[in-house]
């Protein structure tokens, strides 16, 4: 039927009614909406289908100062030839005690948050025994310092007052140790096991982030600590067999993991080129440490990003566990986020200040993380 331009088409009322009905229903072939939508959580409140993250860092070229052992044996970067150019970490010493501490983290993970069932009181008890082994993981949490902040007047484990007066630098005794100890104690009383497991997980991941950077710094006077810097990230494994923090990062963001591993090789390269004790080329040390920090921050961001996504498809204690994890780790990101973009830093930290996890604006949190920590 043709009509003159500008003249409305006239149809009988019944035809208009039928057309409106078809449009409202999506057409004759559109299926009716389901009476009972498919569930998104299982009986434990976990996501039936976990959200996925596909890393895309195609626009993130390495810095001109980055060590790049995957690029023709470092021949395409600005670093001098060194022991790491074969893309392999060569230990300074055959024995690295840090490997055992990361193995303890893995055992605690298997007991408390990698299980398919809620951890029991006995699980918490056995995990705490592993955590408190002599010279083990807990002994290092208790004294860990964050080298992003100015040094305290004395070592953080030298007195009770130093951590209180310098909580940012003395992150282990001031923040992480109390959090972990309380979560273990609460879990051993049978209280909210999923939530307490998540708090322990987040606190130990925080520890595994700051530890490599601290060990790079102390490697200046104790070269064995370069081995520890590598092991705190990798668990003492090869690039393709990550454990500990490296396993988390590799599972979510493989190229970020590869860049972080590159940076551990940069640390070893620096110490090969600078064998003095104490080391003298501190500019090259700081260059390697900055490369490692950038990659690790991106790795922590994608871990946090995943937990924000999982808020949308969990319920009950499973959701509360994600919420507890985020409330621990998002403050870790704030220092660097605020240095890069204070507005986005506020947008991110405000999400964990909400009264309930259901109030979180997940897209806003993801957008802030993706912008702030876009590249490794």
């Amino acid at each position: 039927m043709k009509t003159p331009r500008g003249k409305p088409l006239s149809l009988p009322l019944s035809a208009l009614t039928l057309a409106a009905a078809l449009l409202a229903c999506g057409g004759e072939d559109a299926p009716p909406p389901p009476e009972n939508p498919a569930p998104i959580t299982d009986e434990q409140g976990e996501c039936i289908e976990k959200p996925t993250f596909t890393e895309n860092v195609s626009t993130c070229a390495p810095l001109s100062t980055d060590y790049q052992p995957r690029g023709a044996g470092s021949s395409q970067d600005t670093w001098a030839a060194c022991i790491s150019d074969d893309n392999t970490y060569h230990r300074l010493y055959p024995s690295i005690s840090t490997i055992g501490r990361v193995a303890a983290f893995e055992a605690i993970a298997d007991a408390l948050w990698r299980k398919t069932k809620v951890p029991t009181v006995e699980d918490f008890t056995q995990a705490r025994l592993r955590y408190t082994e002599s010279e083990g993981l807990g002994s290092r949490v208790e004294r860990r310092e964050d080298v992003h902040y100015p040094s305290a007047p004395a070592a953080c484990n030298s007195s009770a007052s130093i951590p209180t007066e310098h909580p940012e630098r003395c992150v282990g005794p001031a923040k992480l140790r109390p959090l972990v100890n309380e979560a273990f104690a609460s879990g051993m009383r049978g209280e909210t096991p999923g939530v307490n497991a998540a708090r322990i997980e987040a606190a130990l991941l925080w520890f595994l982030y700051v530890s490599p950077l601290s060990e790079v710094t102390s490697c200046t006077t104790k070269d064995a600590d370069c081995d520890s810097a590598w092991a705190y990230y990798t668990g003492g494994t090869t690039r393709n067999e990550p454990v500990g923090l490296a396993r988390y990062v590799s599972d979510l963001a493989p190229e970020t993991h590869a860049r972080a591993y590159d940076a551990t090789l940069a640390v070893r390269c620096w110490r090969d080129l600078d064998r003095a004790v104490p080391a003298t080329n501190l500019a090259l040390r700081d260059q390697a440490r900055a490369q490692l920090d950038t990659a690790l921050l991106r790795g922590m961001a994608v871990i946090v990003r995943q937990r924000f996504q999982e808020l949308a498809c969990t319920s009950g204690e499973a959701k509360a566990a994600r919420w507890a994890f985020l409330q621990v780790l998002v403050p870790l990101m704030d220092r660097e986020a605020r240095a890069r973009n204070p507005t986005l830093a506020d947008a991110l930290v405000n999400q964990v200040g909400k009264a309930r996890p259901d109030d979180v604006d997940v897209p806003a949190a993801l957008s802030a993380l993706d912008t702030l920590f876009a590249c490794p």
Side-chain angles (χ1 to χ4, degrees), residues 13-158:
L13 181 60
S14 58
L16 289 171
T17 304
L18 176 61
L22 289 174
L23 285 172
C25 295
E28 292 180 310
D29 298 328
E35 294 182 5
N36 298 306
I40 60 173
T41 64
D42 61 18
E43 293 180 356
Q44 286 75 42
E46 295 286 350
C47 305
I48 291 176
E49 292 188 17
K50 275 195 173 183
T52 58
F53 170 69
T54 301
E55 181 179 41
N56 182 2
V57 291
S58 58
T59 60
C60 298
L63 298 179
S64 61
T65 54
D66 282 353
Y67 179 68
Q68 301 175 55
R70 291 177 291 151
S74 181
S75 63
Q76 300 172 350
D77 61 35
T78 59
W79 286 63
C82 69
I83 194 171
S84 301
D85 289 350
D86 63 355
N87 196 26
T88 302
Y89 189 88
H90 296 273
R91 300 181 184 202
L92 283 146
Y93 297 93
S95 178
I96 305 174
S97 58
T98 297
I99 292 173
R101 297 182 190 111
V102 177
F105 169 84
E106 288 286 306
I108 293 168
D110 289 340
L112 298 185
W113 57 84
R114 288 191 186 136
K115 300 169 73 75
T116 56
K117 64 182 182 67
V118 175
T120 65
V121 167
E122 181 63 16
D123 291 330
F124 276 95
T125 301
Q126 293 302 315
R128 188 175 185 279
L129 287 174
R130 190 65 189 269
Y131 174 74
T132 56
E133 290 172 337
S134 177
E135 295 300 312
L137 183 58
S139 71
R140 296 313 189 262
V141 171
E142 290 180 354
R143 69 190 197 192
R144 180 57 65 212
E145 299 186 20
D146 187 341
V147 296
H148 294 102
Y149 297 94
S151 297
C156 288
N157 62 343
S158 62

Side-chain angles (χ1 to χ4, degrees), residues 308 323 326-327 329-335 337-338 341-354 360 364-365 368-369 372:
F308 267 117
W323 185 231
L326 289 167
Q327 288 180 311
L329 269 195
V330 167
L332 162 66
M333 313 302 297
D334 189 64
R335 175 194 56 80
R338 200 155 298 282
N341 187 317
T343 300
L344 288 178
D346 286 340
L348 182 60
V349 78
N350 286 346
Q351 297 307 319
V352 292
K354 304 286 188 183
V360 171
L369 283 166
L372 286 164

Side-chain angles (χ1 to χ4, degrees), residues 283-361:
L284 192 62
R285 178 202 66 183
D286 292 348
Q287 189 173 312
R289 187 178 62 189
Q291 181 179 346
L292 180 59
D293 197 10
T294 299
L296 292 182
L297 278 166
R298 162 72 175 174
M300 298 302 289
V302 296
I303 294 168
V304 168
R305 188 187 199 285
Q306 181 69 14
R307 300 306 168 95
F308 267 117
Q309 285 190 290
E310 290 172 9
L311 280 181
C313 61
T314 48
S315 62
E317 190 172 346
K319 183 187 285 285
R322 269 55 172 202
W323 185 231
F325 181 96
L326 289 167
Q327 288 180 311
V328 172
L329 269 195
V330 167
L332 162 66
M333 313 302 297
D334 189 64
R335 175 194 56 80
E336 183 64 20
R338 200 155 298 282
R340 295 182 182 189
N341 187 317
T343 300
L344 288 178
D346 286 340
L348 182 60
V349 78
N350 286 346
Q351 297 307 319
V352 292
K354 304 286 188 183
R356 306 177 307 147
D358 289 337
D359 296 334
V360 171
D361 185 342

Side-chain angles (χ1 to χ4, degrees), residues 67-280:
Y67 179 68
Q68 301 175 55
R70 291 177 291 151
S74 181
S75 63
Q76 300 172 350
D77 61 35
T78 59
W79 286 63
C82 69
I83 194 171
S84 301
D85 289 350
D86 63 355
N87 196 26
T88 302
Y89 189 88
H90 296 273
R91 300 181 184 202
L92 283 146
Y93 297 93
S95 178
I96 305 174
S97 58
T98 297
I99 292 173
R101 297 182 190 111
V102 177
F105 169 84
E106 288 286 306
I108 293 168
D110 289 340
L112 298 185
W113 57 84
R114 288 191 186 136
K115 300 169 73 75
T116 56
K117 64 182 182 67
V118 175
T120 65
V121 167
E122 181 63 16
D123 291 330
F124 276 95
T125 301
Q126 293 302 315
R128 188 175 185 279
L129 287 174
R130 190 65 189 269
Y131 174 74
T132 56
E133 290 172 337
S134 177
E135 295 300 312
L137 183 58
S139 71
R140 296 313 189 262
V141 171
E142 290 180 354
R143 69 190 197 192
R144 180 57 65 212
E145 299 186 20
D146 187 341
V147 296
H148 294 102
Y149 297 94
S151 297
C156 288
N157 62 343
S158 62
S159 72
S161 63
I162 293 293
T164 302
E165 295 166 359
H166 303 273
E168 302 296 344
R169 175 73 183 205
C170 300
V171 64
K175 296 183 179 183
L176 302 182
R177 179 179 61 188
L179 195 161
V180 171
N181 287 346
E182 174 53 34
F184 268 125
S186 184
M188 291 165 63
R189 293 192 296 266
E191 301 167 355
T192 55
V195 169
N196 283 303
R199 288 180 178 139
I200 294 168
E201 180 187 15
L204 294 184
L205 286 174
W206 187 330
F207 167 79
L208 291 176
Y209 159 68
V210 296
S211 290
L213 306 171
S214 177
E215 299 291 337
V216 173
T217 304
S218 57
C219 184
T220 305
T221 55
K222 185 181 177 184
D223 61 358
D225 287 357
C226 280
D227 283 348
S228 292
W230 167 70
Y232 266 123
Y233 176 64
T234 67
T237 60
T238 61
R239 186 187 290 273
N240 297 324
E241 299 176 313
V243 299
L245 177 56
R247 175 177 175 178
Y248 278 72
V249 179
S250 179
D251 285 348
L252 291 169
E255 179 59 19
T256 295
H257 162 64
R259 300 271 187 100
Y261 207 100
D262 290 348
T264 65
L265 298 186
V267 172
R268 182 64 182 91
C269 183
W270 154 63
R271 213 58 181 98
D272 183 50
L273 297 172
D274 181 8
R275 299 183 183 183
V277 180
T280 57

